[in-house]
Amino acid sequence: MALKSGALWSIYMKFKPLFLMVLTQLGYTILYFITEASFNHGMNPYVYITYRHIVAGIVMFPFAYFLERKIRPKLTFALFVEIFILSLFGVGLTLNMYFASLRYTSPTFVASVVNTVSALTFVMAVVLRLEKLDVRNVRGIAKVLGTLVSLAGVTIMTIYKGPAMRNLGYPLIHIQGNNAIQEQWLKGSILTVASCITWSIWFIMQLTIKLCVVSNCKMKAITLKRYPAQLSLTTWMCFLGAAQSAFFTAIIEHNPAAWRIGFNIDFWSTIYGGVVVSGLIIFIQLWCTEKRGPVYVTMFNPVSTILVAILAYFVFGEKLSLGSLVGAAIVIIGLYMLLWGKEGDGEAQVKTEEQSFPTCDERREPKTQKHTSAENENDIATR
């Protein structure tokens, strides 16, 4: 019995990252629909972003304060400015445009376009010479083709809708929508693509930071190096992002009633977004990134797209257009081509490190030779 339980435990530990990442994508899938229902109910997306990150910051603050008390550095003005800029690209700009686009498009469209963040980040990294690209290598060609295919899929989804698929029956769950808002497809598409671009810029900023840390660059604007407390950094970004969103909302929304939410779908979508998505899911992704690497985590992004399309069609009765389905399939194909090409970078890096650092046997060899020569001298003296 103990042997059987030990075998089950080893199987669980082996597939634990897989299980957690599938749950993560399921959590993102629920987020699409619960926020769409809340926005259709009348909640302002910018107010939602503000409240959601206030909730996330309040939930994470105790963990950041007590767990990182010894490693949290002093917050200087220059460091505060760096965190403010990171919050602007990671929360203030990206998420406000991202959730606003849900009012004008559909969850299926938004979930599919988000898969192009990897391709956009790769293009920016190549332009800024942060990414090596060898077109003479098969994996290098796969990177280029994967990027082009993903961008082509997004273009198809943006400019071509095509005929809508007929629903098989009545929806199990009905989300009351606003047809007047949903008709502004072009506006929503532009907002979605713009949010992906700012999101990619945010990743590029972190990529630059990581490269500087590895190469020991003497730069002042290295947030993660100067502020190694990740929980505290995330908490600061939540509060600053909420403040930025509140400032932006105050400029464009002059109705005080927009800030009032009742004990309804608006309240639960805010709690879910703050606690589950900005708290639990981010923690799971950080854990899986540490265990299996960022490529492994990114590979599961299309799972959310598939789940959203299935639930939208069969459960919520959403009409899926031919352009959305074809474009989503092309985006996923391009994404996996890009990830396959990127995976070769990790293999090349491991080989380089193995060649750069001597093995244990090689490190012992000089000592062995020295010992052998000393023995020979003793033999000569003895003779």
Side-chain angles (χ1 to χ4, degrees):
M1 186 67 181
L3 185 63
K4 184 178 180 180
S5 61
L8 292 176
W9 177 255
S10 62
I11 294 175
Y12 166 74
M13 293 303 296
K14 180 180 179 180
F15 293 98
K16 182 179 178 181
L18 173 65
F19 176 71
L20 290 177
M21 287 309 304
V22 172
L23 284 182
T24 296
Q25 297 305 316
L26 179 60
Y28 278 126
T29 302
I30 297 174
L31 176 70
Y32 285 114
F33 292 103
I34 195 173
T35 51
E36 185 192 28
S38 178
F39 297 158
N40 291 336
H41 185 260
M43 187 172 189
N44 190 299
Y46 315 116
V47 174
Y48 167 78
I49 295 296
T50 304
Y51 286 159
R52 166 182 162 175
H53 283 85
I54 290 176
V55 171
I58 293 175
V59 171
M60 296 183 65
F61 176 77
F63 298 96
Y65 181 78
F66 290 105
L67 297 179
E68 297 180 340
R69 182 182 300 179
K70 297 181 179 180
I71 65 174
R72 184 170 51 249
K74 183 180 180 180
L75 185 67
T76 61
F77 177 75
L79 186 57
F80 178 81
V81 173
E82 296 168 23
I83 300 176
F84 183 87
I85 296 175
L86 284 174
S87 303
L88 182 63
F89 281 97
V91 178
L93 291 176
T94 299
L95 292 185
N96 276 287
M97 291 187 294
Y98 175 81
F99 283 102
S101 65
L102 277 175
R103 303 181 66 188
Y104 308 110
T105 56
S106 68
T108 305
F109 175 82
V110 175
S112 301
V113 176
V114 167
N115 290 322
T116 61
V117 171
S118 300
L120 292 174
T121 305
F122 171 73
V123 172
M124 293 181 185
V126 171
V127 173
L128 297 175
R129 297 183 179 180
L130 300 174
E131 177 79 23
K132 293 182 180 180
L133 179 61
D134 186 7
V135 293
R136 295 171 297 182
N137 193 333
V138 178
R139 292 188 182 269
I141 297 175
K143 292 180 184 179
V144 178
L145 291 179
T147 302
L148 295 177
V149 170
S150 296
L151 297 179
V154 174
T155 304
I156 292 175
M157 295 178 65
T158 304
I159 64 178
Y160 174 71
K161 294 188 65 174
M165 294 182 60
R166 187 177 181 181
N167 294 103
L168 299 178
Y170 292 100
L172 300 177
I173 301 175
H174 179 70
I175 297 179
Q176 184 177 1
N178 191 336
N179 294 330
I181 292 179
Q182 289 288 336
E183 290 177 356
Q184 303 183 33
W185 190 268
L186 180 60
K187 182 178 180 180
S189 302
I190 294 174
L191 285 173
T192 307
V193 174
S195 68
C196 292
I197 293 175
T198 55
W199 203 351
S200 300
I201 294 174
W202 184 68
F203 279 116
I204 287 294
M205 292 174 63
Q206 296 205 3
L207 178 61
T208 306
I209 291 169
K210 291 179 181 179
L211 290 176
C212 288
V213 171
V214 172
S215 59
N216 294 324
C217 295
K218 295 182 179 179
M219 295 175 58
K220 293 184 178 180
I222 304 177
T223 306
L224 294 182
K225 184 179 179 181
R226 298 172 57 199
Y227 207 88
Q230 295 185 1
L231 283 174
S232 301
L233 179 62
T234 306
T235 304
W236 269 111
M237 290 180 62
C238 286
F239 283 126
L240 289 176
Q244 294 165 356
S245 182
F247 178 78
F248 177 72
T249 306
I251 295 177
I252 64 174
E253 182 62 61
H254 303 285
N255 185 12
W259 293 91
R260 292 195 296 265
I261 61 174
F263 198 72
N264 47 34
I265 187 63
D266 300 339
F267 173 82
W268 293 114
S269 64
T270 303
I271 296 298
Y272 179 85
V275 176
V276 178
V277 179
S278 297
L280 182 60
I281 287 181
I282 296 300
F283 175 78
I284 292 175
Q285 286 182 328
L286 290 174
W287 183 86
C288 290
T289 301
E290 181 181 356
K291 296 296 182 181
R292 295 295 181 89
V295 175
Y296 182 85
V297 174
T298 313
M299 285 176 59
F300 287 87
N301 287 342
V303 175
S304 177
T305 305
I306 298 173
L307 291 176
V308 167
I310 293 174
L311 290 177
Y313 183 73
F314 290 101
V315 179
F316 296 94
E318 180 182 306
K319 293 183 179 180
L320 299 179
S321 63
L322 180 62
S324 297
L325 293 177
V326 174
I330 294 176
V331 167
I332 293 174
I333 293 173
L335 175 65
Y336 277 106
M337 291 176 63
L338 175 61
L339 291 176
W340 183 79
K342 285 287 295 177
E343 191 176 1
D345 295 342
E347 297 175 356
Q349 184 177 1
V350 170
K351 292 181 180 179
T352 304
E353 292 177 354
E354 291 178 351
Q355 295 174 358
S356 301
F357 296 97
T359 61
C360 297
D361 295 334
E362 292 173 348
R363 286 196 293 264
R364 292 173 182 171
E365 186 177 354
K367 295 182 180 179
T368 306
Q369 292 176 353
K370 184 176 180 180
H371 180 68
T372 305
S373 61
E375 290 179 351
N376 293 335
E377 292 178 359
N378 292 334
D379 292 339
I380 295 174
T382 304
R383 292 176 184 175

